[in-house]
Amino acid sequence: MNERVERANAICISLTRRIAFAGVLAMLIVAGVTIVDIFLRVTFNSPIAALNEIVAMVFAIAITACFPVGIAQRVHLRVNILSAYFGEKLSGWLIAIGSLLLFWMFALFTWRIGVYATEMYARDATTMILNIPRSPFLWAVTLLCGISAMVQYVVFAGDVVTACGKSPNSPYNITTLCLLGGLVTTLIAILIFDGAVIALSTSAKTAPVTTALVIFGLVWVLLFLLIPIGAVMVLLGFIGMALLLDTGPALSVVGSEVAAFLTNGQLVVLPLFLMMGVLASAAGLSEDIYRLAQALLGHFRGGLALATIGGCAGFGAVTGSSVATATTIGRVALPEMSQRGYERGFSAGCVAAGGTLGALVPPSSALILYAFLTEESIGRLFVAALVPAALGVLLYMLTISAYVRLAPKAVPAPSKFDTTELKSELRRGSTVIALFAIVMGGIYSGLFTATEAASVGVVGAFLVALFRGKLRGGAFWNVMGETASITAMIYVLILGGITISFFLGITELPEVLTTKVAQMDLPPLGIIAILLVVYILLGAVMESFSIMVITVPVISGLIIDLGFDLTWWGVIMLVVVEIGLITPPFGINVFVLKAVAGADLPLTAVFRGVMPFVGADIVKLILLVLLPSLVLWLPSTMFN
């Protein structure tokens, strides 16, 4: 049985990589066509007719094509706070149960999108301008979701084998029995679901807010039990809708909402910016940025530390991820700083803190996710983050300057300024500068939409990697595979977010929460302060995408009713969550840097090195909260 499962898993990985390659290649081609469209529009005032309709349909298939490879590579996020307390055996079985629930989720998507596609076919539904039939695209999405469900059951089989391997006293045939049990459990769940909903719906409809609180509580319980976040949000959101709307309408909502989301033309921006970051890393742009920062700042005392902050900010401009920035820059900066005699804890603290700039400097994938969840403008959020990002860089550099004066032995003597080196690094680093300037300048000026800017960015990064010879051999496959895996992970989270958001919307929980908060008789900033403390604690143990998906549907209504701008709150929430990434005892970036630095660097040394930067972050947060214009002024000057 074990050998058969391993063989099936190998086949799944091979097959899904090819499917994902086709999907990501389609995204890259569409990005190229979008650039042609920009050229035709700007030069001849003759854009490609209704390109957005074609892009939306193609991307629905391309994004769904990423799901199977993400499943095969087990990229789904879990909350691992309590995993150390469960023990290896129990954790193995909880992971297997989570895999079964993911199978249920993809099976539900397959069924309901298929039904929705059939309805579109019966209605002869077409796109508005080109009159392209919608049903063939939706059937393709259905097929890919079905493949995802089958791959997920193979993953479930592998997790069962692993769990059985951690239970040496289990009977020999326990694996087979568990796999059959998964199918039987699925069948039982289908048979009893409607009856259970009927039995509980009267109580649920009588007290919808209580129902919402119970569901929200179950979300956290299941998350702490290692169930994947996407599965928890989708399945509990669906159950909640079934209790309040009945099973039929809830099923219809799942099919229509998921299909509408996947065929939303604005979705193009996220996978393209993700691909831009992967291509930029493959092209070696991280090294270019760091070397340029080093040439500019290396002659100051603590120059390499200053260069590390500058390098993190620069690389964040093309990758949009904190952990990716900390990992990538850490691999370049830590050996260099160690060789020059920098205190290792301080060096690691610089990189861990600088990594938090990766999610704040636009284009930021976390801000794109926030935009989807709140229906805010992606371009406006990007521009709003520019001043806070610059403020973060400034405060970090001031912190380094103060630290090296208070602890001069932590860094070596500064090197001499080398004009020749600066000119050389400027020439090489001009590629990154130009790419960032074109993307953000186009959004700010109104020349590009966010989607068009993403297309320009990804094609630019692709051409750089191609001309540098970084896509030879298997490198191009690796870029495509990494893009597909990240895309799958994030989109499953978003699908969970929109499902739970719909459920919470019909319960009126946000309105009740707002009323309760108003009765506390606290000033708005007092309530914001409480929320900030909660988000710092969450950020210390969870990743920013997870926190946003779980909390934004509940909190956004409260923020509006308190009189605050959602664009401002999006930046504030990202800043405060990123503080959590370097806050003891569970700061994720700190553990990442510990892994990069190696076993000879104690974790306590990294935490000591990062604490001065936590102080700088608190100062930044206070300034942004008390002076909202630091966030909102620049978006107010955008071209409309």
Side-chain angles (χ1 to χ4, degrees):
M1 173 60 73
N2 294 5
E3 292 178 0
R4 287 197 293 270
V5 170
E6 289 177 4
R7 190 159 54 247
N9 189 62
I11 292 171
C12 285
I13 291 175
S14 177
L15 175 64
T16 56
R17 281 178 177 172
R18 285 165 171 77
I19 294 173
F21 181 86
V24 178
L25 184 61
M27 295 181 196
L28 187 59
I29 292 171
V30 168
V33 173
T34 301
I35 291 179
V36 173
D37 178 64
I38 296 171
F39 175 78
L40 293 175
R41 186 187 70 218
V42 173
T43 307
F44 304 106
N45 195 26
S46 180
I48 300 172
L51 178 62
N52 60 317
E53 291 186 350
I54 302 171
V55 168
M57 293 301 173
V58 170
F59 259 74
I61 298 173
I63 290 168
T64 316
C66 296
F67 289 170
V69 76
I71 293 167
Q73 296 180 356
R74 294 169 167 81
V75 299
H76 300 293
L77 289 179
R78 304 173 191 264
V79 177
N80 293 313
I81 301 173
L82 302 179
S83 58
Y85 300 99
F86 292 145
E88 192 175 2
K89 178 180 175 180
L90 179 57
S91 294
W93 284 112
L94 289 173
I95 289 171
I97 292 170
S99 288
L100 180 62
L101 294 181
L102 276 171
F103 166 71
W104 288 4
M105 182 190 76
F106 283 109
L108 178 64
F109 286 163
T110 304
W111 175 27
R112 297 316 304 176
I113 295 174
V115 170
Y116 185 73
T118 303
E119 292 172 355
M120 292 294 101
Y121 176 77
R123 289 162 43 189
D124 195 24
T126 61
T127 59
M128 292 182 63
I129 300 174
L130 298 179
N131 293 320
I132 301 172
R134 294 170 58 86
S135 55
F137 295 93
L138 291 173
W139 277 327
V141 170
T142 302
L143 174 63
L144 290 166
C145 284
I147 293 172
S148 300
M150 289 187 287
V151 173
Q152 182 58 52
Y153 205 79
V154 173
V155 170
F156 166 64
D159 289 338
V160 168
V161 168
T162 301
C164 291
K166 295 172 183 176
S167 306
N169 297 324
S170 299
Y172 177 76
N173 292 325
I174 188 67
T175 302
T176 303
L177 292 174
C178 288
L179 294 178
L180 291 174
L183 293 175
V184 171
T185 304
T186 302
L187 181 60
I188 292 173
I190 293 171
L191 292 175
I192 70 171
F193 183 81
D194 208 32
V197 167
I198 293 172
L200 297 173
S201 61
T202 301
S203 300
K205 292 174 182 176
T206 303
V209 173
T210 301
T211 303
L213 292 174
V214 170
I215 294 290
F216 198 64
L218 286 173
V219 165
W220 285 102
V221 170
L222 292 179
L223 291 181
F224 287 141
L225 292 176
L226 302 181
I227 308 301
I229 297 170
V232 170
M233 305 294 279
V234 169
L235 295 178
L236 287 182
F238 167 64
I239 290 171
M241 285 189 288
L243 290 172
L244 298 180
L245 301 176
D246 297 328
T247 303
L251 289 170
S252 297
V253 167
V254 170
S256 60
E257 287 293 311
V258 172
F261 177 75
L262 290 173
T263 54
N264 183 343
Q266 291 185 343
L267 282 180
V268 175
V269 66
L270 181 51
L272 288 182
F273 274 130
L274 292 173
M275 195 190 311
M276 175 183 168
V278 176
L279 284 166
S281 181
L285 295 185
S286 57
E287 288 85 355
D288 293 352
I289 295 167
Y290 183 70
R291 301 301 177 206
L292 175 58
Q294 183 178 343
L296 282 168
L297 303 169
H299 60 287
F300 293 107
R301 188 166 187 83
L304 281 186
L306 297 172
T308 297
I309 299 301
C312 287
F315 190 63
V318 291
T319 190
S321 167
S322 292
V323 173
T325 300
T327 304
T328 305
I329 298 297
R331 288 173 180 153
V332 179
L334 289 180
E336 188 83 14
M337 297 172 80
S338 178
Q339 183 180 354
R340 301 287 182 91
Y342 280 72
E343 182 184 270
R344 295 201 67 197
F346 173 65
S347 302
C350 289
V351 181
T356 64
L357 297 169
L360 185 59
V361 177
S364 165
S365 51
L367 287 178
I368 296 172
L369 173 60
Y370 178 84
F372 287 150
L373 295 173
T374 60
E375 299 184 358
E376 287 293 293
S377 164
I378 295 173
R380 181 176 167 83
L381 282 164
F382 281 178
V383 173
L386 286 172
V387 171
L391 178 63
V393 171
L394 176 62
L395 288 173
Y396 280 172
M397 289 188 172
L398 289 175
T399 300
I400 291 170
S401 299
Y403 186 89
V404 299
R405 281 168 174 76
L406 294 172
K409 294 183 179 180
V411 298
S415 58
K416 293 182 179 180
F417 181 72
D418 189 333
T419 306
T420 303
E421 180 188 9
L422 177 60
K423 290 180 180 178
S424 173
E425 297 302 337
L426 271 173
R427 282 194 299 270
R428 189 167 180 85
S430 61
T431 303
V432 182
I433 298 171
L435 193 60
F436 178 75
I438 292 171
V439 169
M440 289 307 302
I443 292 175
Y444 179 80
S445 66
L447 180 63
F448 303 150
T449 65
T451 299
E452 291 170 340
S455 298
V456 170
V458 74
V459 171
F462 171 75
L463 291 176
V464 172
L466 184 66
F467 288 138
R468 290 186 176 184
K470 301 293 186 178
L471 298 179
R472 295 172 182 165
F476 190 51
W477 274 91
N478 292 336
V479 166
M480 295 301 199
E482 186 175 350
T483 301
S485 297
I486 299 172
T487 300
M489 177 190 72
I490 293 176
Y491 274 89
V492 169
L493 285 177
I494 298 175
L495 290 173
I498 63 173
T499 305
I500 204 79
S501 294
F502 192 96
F503 161 66
L504 292 174
I506 63 177
T507 65
E508 299 180 354
L509 177 62
E511 292 82 355
V512 172
L513 179 62
T514 301
T515 303
K516 294 294 183 183
V517 168
Q519 292 173 353
M520 295 171 62
D521 200 27
L522 288 174
L525 283 180
I527 297 169
I528 292 295
I530 294 173
L531 291 175
L532 295 181
V533 172
V534 172
Y535 274 107
I536 288 177
L537 296 175
L538 288 176
V541 296
M542 295 173 63
E543 200 267 342
S544 55
F545 290 118
S546 308
I547 296 171
M548 286 187 174
V549 167
I550 296 169
T551 63
V552 166
V554 178
I555 296 298
S556 57
L558 173 62
I559 297 300
I560 293 173
D561 288 334
L562 288 173
F564 294 103
D565 188 288
L566 277 181
T567 297
W568 171 82
W569 176 248
V571 174
I572 293 296
M573 184 166 68
L574 182 57
V575 167
V576 74
V577 168
E578 294 298 309
I579 293 175
L581 293 183
I582 56 174
T583 303
F586 300 112
I588 296 172
N589 270 20
V590 174
F591 286 92
V592 167
L593 259 296
K594 171 69 173 66
V596 172
D600 58 335
L601 177 63
L603 189 62
T604 53
V606 185
F607 273 121
R608 281 198 304 271
V610 85
M611 289 312 295
F613 300 98
V614 174
D617 276 334
I618 297 299
V619 173
K620 175 177 67 177
L621 182 61
I622 292 172
L623 289 173
L624 295 177
V625 170
L626 297 181
L627 301 173
S629 58
L630 291 174
V631 177
L632 298 176
W633 170 74
L634 199 55
S636 70
T637 67
M638 288 178 66
F639 178 86
N640 294 315

